[in-house]
Amino acid sequence: MGSNVQPRRVIIDTDGGVDDAAALWWALTDPRLDLVGVTTVGGVVSAAEAAGNVLRILDAAGRRDIPVAVGADQRVGLAPSLRRADFIHGDDGLGNTQRPMPQGLSPSPESARDLMLRLCAEAPGKTSIVALGPLTNLAMAAADDPAWPARVQELVAMAGSARSGGNALPIGEANVAHDPTAAMRVVEAHWARPPLMVGLDVTHRATLTDVEFALLAEQRTPAAAFLDAPLNFYRTYGSTFTAPNCPCHDLFAVLALAEPGIVTDAPVLPLAVDTGMGAAWGTTVVDFRAIAFARVAGSTQEQPAGFHPWRIALDADVVRFRAALRGLFGEE
Ligand code: BDR
Ligand code: CA
């Protein structure tokens, strides 16, 4: 992973789950990334509990210097009622490992949105965000400062599903379903470049196999030692839609920033979120007609009202993803 280029400044917004933990370990150990702050949001666990989990990881990784700010538990708009994800992530979001809180470490007094705004103002156009939970904090930051999205270098959001069905709802992915209005506000914000939606279309393909779990069990690296028990807990129900292999949604999203080639197909397509209260409430809607129309010479398809251009990750280099994971777990 060695490189001479300047590492990318990145803020991670997380809801404190097991795959979030794996994503954080990646960000902390990849020299191409400079994790400058972590913000938390209620989702898998509460925003305060998520901050506790982040502090546990930062402590274990020897990075107690990175600021962690607690964000929102309340939602920007009405949201469908969802089953708690404790059966997937454990009651504590870390597979019921109940790791003790590190001594002398606490979240920053700043709110999540203030930390995001401040860190982006310190290096405008040079700070990226990877969103790994409900998009509430991002929507609130954009409401506080509508010019902020244009200062974000790149946004990668583990969110949604273009054509792969749902996990939290029949066709709804959890991070969008938790706060559909926030997701829509983030979709329509004025970002510097079309953000990347990393949804179930890729995270249900890029999975961990027995090979990665066998290496994980050897606990060769601090990341593997920390993640072994949580990922084994997560594997049972986290693999519901991908059995026998196990997704690691949020880790894939961080990798998509660090190593863009891991996403092998990501066309820019019109994206919207269903914020109505019907059967598709809390789901992403991608207009694939644009691809079909583009193939027909002279034919044009206008972007439908309420849709905005995003890069939609549709395919992944699964071999490369698994190799990257084995690197995190200590494969020489
Ligand atoms: C997303 O929902 C959360 O449970 C996971 O951490 C991930 O961010 C997957 O739909
Ligand atoms: Ca998450």
Side-chain angles (χ1 to χ4, degrees):
M1 289 194 301
S3 128
N4 296 325
V5 291
Q6 187 87 348
R8 299 182 72 141
R9 279 170 62 91
V10 60
I11 302 167
I12 288 185
D13 186 64
T14 165
D15 62 343
V18 172
D19 55 332
D20 301 74
L24 281 160
W25 274 103
W26 186 275
L28 288 162
T29 52
D30 186 336
R32 295 167 299 188
L33 298 179
D34 176 15
L35 183 63
V36 292
V38 184
T39 54
T40 68
V41 61
V44 168
V45 290
S46 72
E49 288 166 331
N53 288 348
V54 174
L55 294 173
R56 289 175 171 97
I57 295 163
L58 295 181
D59 181 58
R63 291 301 311 273
R64 294 166 63 104
D65 56 300
I66 297 174
V68 180
V70 179
D73 283 313
Q74 80 278 18
R75 302 302 171 201
V76 167
L78 291 175
S81 80
L82 303 179
R83 180 178 176 189
R84 255 193 94 210
D86 53 345
F87 65 109
I88 301 174
H89 296 267
D91 225 9
D92 59 355
L94 287 176
N96 287 336
T97 47
Q98 309 295 349
R99 287 178 74 100
M101 265 302 286
Q103 294 286 312
L105 204 52
S106 50
S108 134
E110 261 177 317
S111 70
R113 53 224 259 216
D114 284 350
L115 181 64
M116 272 184 200
L117 294 173
R118 180 171 67 75
L119 291 173
C120 291
E122 279 172 18
K126 293 194 174 129
T127 308
S128 295
I129 298 193
V130 183
L132 306 178
L135 292 151
T136 317
N137 288 335
L138 275 72
M140 288 176 162
D144 286 351
D145 180 358
W148 164 70
R151 291 196 291 271
V152 174
Q153 183 176 25
E154 191 159 346
L155 168 64
V156 177
M158 193 287 124
S161 171
R163 50 187 183 197
S164 298
N167 55 3
L169 293 170
I171 56 167
E173 182 281 326
N175 289 340
V176 172
H178 269 296
D179 195 352
T181 303
M184 188 61 222
R185 302 242 167 103
V186 169
V187 165
E188 68 195 6
H190 299 289
W191 302 99
R193 62 175 298 217
L196 179 67
M197 177 180 117
V198 168
L200 302 182
D201 309 279
V202 277
T203 65
H204 276 177
R205 278 180 51 67
T207 51
L208 285 73
T209 69
D210 285 341
V211 176
E212 286 74 44
F213 275 99
L215 184 61
L216 175 66
E218 293 180 26
Q219 303 197 2
R220 291 188 194 177
T221 62
F226 189 102
L227 293 169
D228 185 19
L231 275 171
N232 273 290
F233 181 97
Y234 176 83
R235 189 181 190 183
T236 307
Y237 291 107
S239 309
T240 301
F241 304 104
T242 56
N245 299 332
C246 179
C248 202
H249 311 274
D250 293 341
L251 174 59
F252 188 88
V254 171
L255 258 168
L257 180 75
E259 197 168 321
I262 207 126
V263 176
T264 53
D265 187 22
V268 176
L269 289 169
L271 173 66
V273 177
D274 189 332
T275 54
M277 297 169 78
W281 189 16
T283 69
T284 45
V285 180
V286 176
D287 188 359
F288 283 98
R289 295 176 305 163
I291 295 178
F293 278 112
R295 283 197 209 107
V296 182
S299 171
T300 53
Q301 167 63 25
E302 285 190 3
Q303 184 153 270
F307 284 68
H308 301 270
W310 274 53
R311 286 174 297 138
I312 311 295
L314 295 176
D315 212 346
D317 187 335
V318 179
V319 172
R320 194 159 156 185
F321 176 70
R322 290 178 181 151
L325 270 202
R326 293 196 301 277
L328 182 66
F329 299 159
E331 186 174 72
E332 309 275 301

